């Protein structure tokens, strides 16, 4: 792997004017020299497009058009990307300084690993820290028992893993990341590193808050597809 392999970051967004600028800045301020960044907006009407245009000259690409939701936007962004390492950052979350460099170093130092993830703070709508995601080492077997432990904003993976098992499944509204982690872990080792890489924002309009009742049924669907029994920890 090159000393500075190209990293592709995609931010899906829809009517997140309140938080979008902080997200964009947290990516653009990373101390990593080989970065491409795409913002894929779903046709926002709240002023988000004006924020994107403010940083357009620093973005690799952006669009604002109606789409089929978050999963569609992420897939659309990655279809335009070329990076050896990939990640997405939702438009209300933020990276911590040095996150991308640290993730790349973890992958470089462990060539057998296909997917790495670090720690993630929980913050509220004003950016105040309110907790920590319980990240820990997991595996395909543990994922199949419901042991997710992977904070999505702090997750990075190799492109060849995406090409073997991606893209995101658009039939999932909530558990598309869990589904992807299961597919990744089925074909390559994954690794947790105890470094703080991101903040996950919890707020009234957030997907996690308003749609939590959809999570477990979708996770059960993945579990059963992989051959898990209906009677399980789920």
């Amino acid at each position: 792997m090159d000393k500075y392999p190209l990293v592709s970051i995609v931010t899906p967004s829809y009517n997140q004017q309140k938080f979008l600028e902080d997200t964009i800045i947290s990516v653009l301020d990373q101390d990593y020299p080989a970065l491409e960044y795409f913002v894929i907006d779903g046709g926002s009407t709240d002023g988000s497009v004006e924020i994107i245009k403010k940083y357009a000259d620093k973005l690799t690409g952006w669009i604002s058009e109606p789409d089929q939701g978050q999963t569609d936007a992420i897939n659309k962004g990655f279809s335009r990307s070329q990076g050896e390492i990939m990640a997405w950052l939702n438009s209300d979350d933020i990276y911590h300084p040095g996150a991308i460099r640290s993730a790349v170093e973890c992958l470089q130092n462990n060539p057998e690993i296909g997917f790495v993830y670090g720690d993630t703070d929980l913050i509220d709508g004003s950016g105040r820290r309110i907790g920590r995601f319980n990240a820990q080492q997991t595996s395909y077997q543990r994922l199949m028992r419901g042991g997710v432990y992977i904070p999505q904003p702090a997750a990075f993976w190799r492109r060849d893993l995406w090409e073997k098992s991606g893209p995101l499944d658009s039939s999932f509204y909530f558990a598309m990341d869990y589904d992807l982690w299961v597919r990744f872990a089925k074909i390559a080792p994954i690794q947790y590193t105890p470094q703080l890489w991101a903040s996950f924002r919890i707020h009234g309009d957030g997907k996690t808050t308003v749609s939590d009742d959809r999570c477990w049924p979708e996770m059960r669907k993945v579990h059963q597809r992989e051959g898990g029994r209906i009677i399980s920890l789920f």
Side-chain angles (χ1 to χ4, degrees), residues 26-75:
S26 80
V27 177
L28 296 179
D29 280 355
Q30 290 291 304
D31 63 338
Y32 189 79
L35 178 66
E36 60 174 16
Y37 184 30
F38 300 87
V39 178
I40 309 298
D41 181 80
S44 294
T45 58
D46 67 342
S48 294
V49 174
E50 285 69 30
I51 292 173
I52 298 170
K53 288 180 177 178
K54 179 179 176 181
Y55 297 95
D57 62 331
K58 299 179 181 179
L59 302 175
T60 307
W62 70 276
I63 57 173
S64 181
E65 63 185 22
D67 56 35
Q68 301 303 309
Q70 180 187 18
T71 304
D72 181 41
I74 295 168
N75 285 337

Side-chain angles (χ1 to χ4, degrees), residues 32 49 77 88 113 118 120 125 130 137-139 218:
Y32 189 79
V49 174
W88 85 80
I113 299 298
T120 300
I130 57 175
Q137 182 65 46
T138 190
S139 64
E218 291 191 357

Side-chain angles (χ1 to χ4, degrees), residues 193-213:
T193 181
Q195 299 178 32
L196 183 59
W197 287 348
S199 287
F200 178 84
R201 195 183 302 271
I202 297 176
H203 56 96
D205 296 326
K207 192 174 182 181
T208 301
T209 302
V210 302
S211 306
D212 190 64
D213 61 330

Side-chain angles (χ1 to χ4, degrees), residues 16 70 90 92-93 122-123 133 152-153 173-177 200-216:
Q16 290 282 353
Q70 180 187 18
N90 291 325
D92 47 4
D93 300 333
L122 306 178
I123 59 176
F133 184 99
Q152 179 276 313
Y173 174 79
F174 191 96
M176 74 283 192
D177 51 355
F200 178 84
R201 195 183 302 271
I202 297 176
H203 56 96
D205 296 326
K207 192 174 182 181
T208 301
T209 302
V210 302
S211 306
D212 190 64
D213 61 330
R214 304 189 191 189
C215 180
W216 287 104

Side-chain angles (χ1 to χ4, degrees), residues 112-115 138-144 150 160-162 164-166 177-191 221-228:
E112 76 284 2
I113 299 298
F115 174 84
T138 190
S139 64
Y140 176 75
Q141 290 75 21
R142 294 189 75 185
L143 284 164
M144 285 292 290
I150 301 173
D160 61 353
L161 191 57
W162 173 266
K164 290 174 183 176
S165 57
D177 51 355
Y178 171 70
D179 172 54
L180 189 66
W181 308 157
V182 168
R183 286 186 275 145
F184 282 172
K186 192 174 183 178
I187 62 176
I190 64 178
Q191 179 172 302
K221 181 179 176 182
V222 176
H223 180 74
Q224 291 173 241
R225 182 199 67 205
E226 294 295 316

